[in-house]
Amino acid sequence: MGKTLFDKVWDAHVVDSIENGPQILYIDKHLIHEVTSPQAFNELEERNIPIFRPNQIVATADHNTPTQNQHLPVRDELSRNQLKQLAENCDKNNITLYGLGHKYNGIVHVMAPELGITQPGMTMVCGDSHTSTHGAFGTIAFGIGTSQVAQVFASQCLLLTKPKSLRVSVNGTLKPGVLPKDVILYIISKIGTNAGTGYFCEYAGDVFENMSMEGRMTVCNMSIEMGARGGMIAPDETTFAYVKGKEFAPQGEAFEKAVAYWKTLPTDADATFDKEYTFDAEDIEPMVTYGTNPGMGIKINAKIPDLSDASFEKSLEYMDFKKGELMLNKPINYVFIGSCTNSRIEDFRVAANYIKGKQKAPNVTAWLVPGSKQVESQIEEEGLKTVFEAAGFELRQPGCSACLAMNDDKIPEGEYCVSTSNRNFEGRQGQGARTILASPLVAAATAVEGKIVDVTKALSLEEELI
Amino acid sequence: MEKFTTLHSTAIPLEIENIDTDQIIPARFLKATDKQGFGDNAFRDWRFDKQGNINEAFALNNPKYHGSILVAGDNFGCGSSREHAAWALAGYGFKVIVSSFFADIFKGNALNNGLLPLQVSEGFLKDLFEVIKTNPETVLTVNLEAQTLTVDGSNLQTDFDIDPYKKTCMINGYDDIDYLLSKKEQIEAFELSR
Ligand code: SF4
């Protein structure tokens, strides 16, 4: 029987199998950041265990960093201390750190792919659930807890039980205005937030084959929001072209050799999956969420469903929405374009394209937060910064920012925020804040109009005007 | 890691589904660099309002309920991979979490901290909520060796699954690092073979 992409990469990394138990899986790359690593460093130090393979670890500071005045000392004492510990730990253990202000600094899931640290066929882990992002390259990448960070520090391996396989296929052509973010929000709204628990997902079909690497990263990023440990997309010419020439990617002959191997990775035609879902691209419209988990999404012009279970009602109460209500025309005061889901250059291009020649609505506070220093420079080089500034938008410095509101970028209590991030949990963007997940296009349109609008209509109107 | 064999305790019912790790421990409390003190902030925004007043309606604040077992709704621990959630629950004093479904990463994190995620059927969970609410002094017995959860003084009992390797670890208080370090030569041989 044929093998899946996941099987091939997994099997190539199994060091040993424990009878009736987990397998020892070798990890090629370990990404770390300031929030989930300090306790792991402490643990090793207490037990007097050295870091096994420091040159397979890359560190960045992202979760807890300010997005303004990054050249100044960090004001919050606890945050400053956490960043200092990361720097000290990396220094002591010979681990490469791209700290605050470094030209390679950025959100871990944005900086690693753009530097070519992420490559097809690898196993990668990070103490962060959205590590699934790197699966866009045909990589087995998943989030781990801090105990596991310590395990990888100690042995470059993890004890794991092989997950089951799931394939989500979307075929056909996406309508204009429908972005990768809408595709994944649509999928999660259809299958629910725990459909993927216990599974590793492969995304297949025309839509993903025709998608850019950045779009694929947006999709794989949110695999965890349907419960899956990770998501993957088969590497193809698009992948190879993206990786080629990147700072830490193999170069020259080594690259050609790698490509030859990467080409063997896609799922065999006769391989089978434990579970499969198939969707039509034509059914997907721009999406927004109305509730407090990412599965509570609807088409932007649809009504909030009328369900009657306790969790659903609790969720609507938190959001202060009513059953059967339309999301269209809801006034919105906050817009956030950023996070490891949507803070790459294509996301800012989409936003700038819409915003160009328009003005931000006066009621809206909009934060545009690039995912990395490199994206920040690209925004400037491509003239997007000028577009944003002319329209009254504030462009901040890279980091996780309002995605999890660990720094000062918090949405005030009771306010709605249309956000390109990945989680609309209660209080995720600040105590009492209400998050509506959407694509960068919907977010940009919301910022301009000051309310939720049907972007497909807005787009077709513009086309008529041309 | 502490050893775990059996536990007799009353339980606290938390009848909410999809409890994510942002609720168990909000991000603003993740700035510590050690594992201490997270218990104080477990379910912080459900236990207290913004002014720091106690939310009387929340199960953990209800004097009727106490014990080291938390019984929670379906899909417990979804969302962020933060192990701080497991530290917060263990720090608060829980030793067992019962639910009809656990998110993957949370489950692993809990097991790595000697906190037992005990999965039961939806029907059993419903019954469990009923008996605890009817009599908050109901004692539950968790027997890890036998893999059973029993409601004392009733005929309610269920088996539960646990990975045999993880079971051995919990009973003996071992962790994965000990095991992986014992395999170092094999890991080095694997590296050379690639
Ligand atoms: S941007 Fe948000 S989801 Fe992504 S790594 Fe940062 S906190 Fe996590």
Side-chain angles (χ1 to χ4, degrees):
Chain A
M1 201 181 66
K3 279 181 157 193
T4 65
L5 162 66
F6 177 79
D7 289 335
K8 294 182 194 180
V9 181
W10 178 279
D11 294 350
H13 289 84
V14 174
V15 175
D16 196 10
S17 305
I18 304 177
E19 218 186 302
N20 281 325
Q23 291 180 303
I24 302 178
L25 192 77
Y26 190 80
I27 304 301
D28 294 318
K29 280 277 183 284
H30 185 191
L31 307 172
I32 62 170
H33 60 82
E34 74 277 24
V35 177
T36 56
S37 68
Q39 291 87 352
F41 279 113
N42 292 347
E43 168 132 22
L44 256 71
E45 210 168 287
E46 276 160 27
R47 294 165 72 164
N48 222 342
I49 304 168
I51 305 254
F52 186 52
R53 294 288 179 248
N55 57 1
Q56 283 167 250
I57 309 173
V58 178
T60 184
D62 56 0
H63 280 65
N64 204 353
T65 52
T67 54
Q68 283 176 312
N69 295 321
Q70 288 187 347
H71 61 290
L72 298 178
V74 175
R75 270 186 313 173
D76 180 81
E77 195 193 324
L78 290 171
S79 307
R80 197 170 59 236
N81 181 39
Q82 216 173 39
L83 294 169
K84 195 174 117 221
Q85 280 239 359
L86 178 70
E88 285 172 5
N89 283 329
C90 289
D91 194 42
K92 244 193 294 186
N93 294 292
N94 293 318
I95 293 167
T96 306
L97 164 68
Y98 300 128
L100 205 54
H102 191 283
K103 66 174 179 175
Y104 293 158
N105 175 257
I107 304 174
V108 58
H109 313 311
V110 177
M111 51 77 69
E114 74 186 5
L115 288 171
I117 294 169
T118 306
Q119 294 160 26
M122 279 185 165
T123 49
M124 291 180 84
V125 294
C126 174
D128 186 280
S129 53
H130 294 98
T131 308
S132 58
T133 312
H134 309 264
F137 292 78
T139 306
I140 292 187
F142 52 92
I144 55 177
T146 298
S147 295
Q148 292 174 305
V149 171
Q151 289 162 32
V152 183
F153 278 168
S155 68
Q156 205 57 36
C157 286
L158 283 172
L159 283 168
L160 296 164
T161 308
K162 191 174 178 181
K164 286 181 282 186
S165 62
L166 159 71
R167 179 161 61 187
V168 176
S169 308
V170 186
N171 291 304
T173 314
L174 293 174
K175 295 184 204 166
V178 177
L179 301 189
K181 180 64 162 288
D182 300 308
V183 175
I184 188 65
L185 283 174
Y186 175 83
I187 294 170
I188 303 170
S189 79
K190 289 289 171 199
I191 70 179
T193 51
N194 62 26
T197 306
Y199 293 84
F200 221 91
C201 176
E202 178 173 343
Y203 301 95
D206 313 334
V207 164
F208 305 110
E209 282 166 25
N210 295 327
M211 213 176 251
S212 70
M213 281 317 291
E214 302 204 347
R216 293 178 188 181
M217 284 188 249
T218 300
V219 170
C220 289
N221 174 275
M222 289 193 71
S223 305
I224 183 81
E225 309 309 336
M226 59 190 195
R229 209 49 198 282
M232 296 174 96
I233 294 175
D236 59 7
E237 292 303 328
T238 307
T239 323
F240 311 146
Y242 180 97
V243 175
K244 192 171 183 172
K246 292 268 186 296
E247 186 80 29
F248 298 106
Q251 311 287 340
E253 220 174 286
F255 181 77
E256 296 312 321
K257 227 179 113 192
V259 169
Y261 169 59
W262 296 342
K263 283 186 173 165
T264 66
L265 294 175
T267 296
D268 299 330
D270 57 343
T272 54
F273 288 80
D274 296 311
K275 190 151 96 171
E276 293 229 38
Y277 296 100
T278 305
F279 299 103
D280 264 337
E282 283 76 15
D283 291 339
I284 310 178
E285 305 262 348
M287 300 283 293
V288 283
T289 62
Y290 59 88
T292 56
N293 73 56
M296 300 175 83
I298 46 173
K299 296 180 178 175
I300 197 159
N301 48 21
K303 288 181 177 152
I304 295 174
D306 188 350
L307 305 175
S308 58
D309 74 82
S311 296
F312 180 82
E313 278 165 14
K314 181 174 176 289
S315 193
L316 282 200
E317 194 188 322
Y318 181 85
M319 294 300 289
D320 196 22
F321 287 149
K322 299 197 174 43
K323 298 173 183 180
E325 211 176 25
L326 273 177
M327 293 288 286
L328 279 185
N329 294 322
K330 291 254 180 223
I332 303 292
N333 293 332
Y334 286 83
V335 169
F336 172 60
I337 301 185
S339 92
C340 57
T341 317
N342 286 117
S343 63
R344 298 180 181 82
I345 190 64
E346 284 177 12
D347 301 313
F348 291 100
R349 284 187 198 136
V350 163
N353 216 2
Y354 185 90
I355 289 166
K356 199 169 187 166
K358 303 187 180 84
Q359 279 297 313
K360 179 181 74 63
N363 62 308
V364 171
T365 303
W367 294 327
L368 309 184
V369 183
S372 69
K373 288 298 273 185
Q374 297 212 61
V375 175
E376 186 183 42
S377 321
Q378 273 173 298
I379 290 175
E380 230 181 299
E381 282 157 23
E382 294 186 14
L384 310 184
K385 188 174 177 182
T386 326
V387 173
F388 294 136
E389 280 173 357
F393 284 84
E394 186 184 350
L395 187 67
R396 295 205 165 190
Q397 290 172 300
C400 294
S401 180
C403 171
L404 91 166
M406 258 189 99
N407 64 2
D408 291 340
D409 306 348
K410 294 181 178 29
I411 308 303
E413 185 164 10
E415 290 285 357
Y416 293 106
C417 177
V418 169
S419 173
T420 65
S421 55
N422 42 51
R423 286 189 175 139
N424 49 354
F425 298 155
E426 283 184 27
R428 171 83 178 180
Q429 296 194 289
Q431 259 181 294
R434 296 169 171 146
T435 303
I436 297 166
L437 301 176
S439 75
L441 176 61
V442 170
T446 307
V448 167
E449 306 299 335
K451 58 183 186 181
I452 298 179
V453 290
D454 188 344
V455 275
T456 46
K457 270 207 190 122
L459 281 182
S460 57
L461 268 181
E462 271 183 24
E463 270 163 28
E464 275 168 32
L465 289 176
I466 296 167
Chain B
M1 207 169 82
E2 238 177 87
K3 294 179 184 180
F4 186 112
T5 45
T6 52
L7 177 73
H8 306 278
S9 172
T10 50
I12 302 180
L14 196 53
E15 237 180 321
I16 301 173
E17 290 178 5
N18 302 314
I19 296 178
D20 58 75
T21 51
D22 275 78
Q23 307 317 317
I24 301 172
I25 183 85
R28 62 184 189 281
F29 299 116
L30 305 186
K31 296 182 181 180
T33 51
D34 58 26
K35 295 183 186 176
Q36 307 310 314
F38 290 105
D40 296 341
N41 295 314
F43 297 110
R44 178 75 199 198
D45 295 339
W46 285 350
R47 274 161 65 205
F48 302 97
D49 69 11
K50 233 185 155 176
Q51 285 70 42
N53 303 313
I54 287 185
N55 168 13
E56 304 279 355
F58 186 56
L60 266 67
N61 292 333
N62 188 334
K64 273 203 312 207
Y65 300 122
H66 54 97
S68 47
I69 300 176
L70 181 71
V71 181
D74 198 55
N75 196 24
F76 186 86
C78 54
S80 154
S81 63
R82 60 186 71 157
E83 194 159 318
H84 312 68
W87 302 332
L89 293 165
Y92 189 86
F94 292 116
K95 297 206 159 20
V96 175
I97 314 289
V98 181
S99 176
S100 48
F101 200 86
F102 290 95
D104 275 344
I105 305 183
F106 174 80
K107 199 176 186 176
N109 287 343
L111 286 165
N112 283 333
N113 286 279
L115 178 69
L116 180 67
L118 196 162
Q119 186 165 324
V120 298
S121 70
E122 273 176 39
F124 190 87
L125 187 69
K126 228 171 128 197
D127 293 344
L128 208 52
F129 278 130
E130 277 321 305
V131 291
I132 300 167
K133 285 190 295 182
T134 317
N135 176 12
E137 293 305 320
T138 306
V139 173
L140 311 183
T141 297
V142 177
N143 184 331
L144 180 55
E145 186 58 57
Q147 296 179 219
T148 54
L149 168 65
T150 317
V151 178
D152 290 11
S154 82
N155 52 12
L156 264 181
Q157 179 173 357
T158 184
D159 298 337
F160 62 88
D161 279 338
I162 180 168
D163 180 289
Y165 165 80
K166 277 290 165 200
K167 178 175 166 180
T168 318
C169 286
M170 279 198 84
I171 290 176
N172 297 301
Y174 296 155
D175 69 13
D176 290 352
I177 292 189
D178 300 323
Y179 185 83
L180 286 168
L181 286 177
S182 75
K183 295 282 172 183
K184 207 139 186 187
E185 275 174 27
Q186 219 176 327
I187 296 169
E188 279 165 343
F190 175 84
E191 286 178 324
L192 288 174
S193 73
R194 307 175 77 207

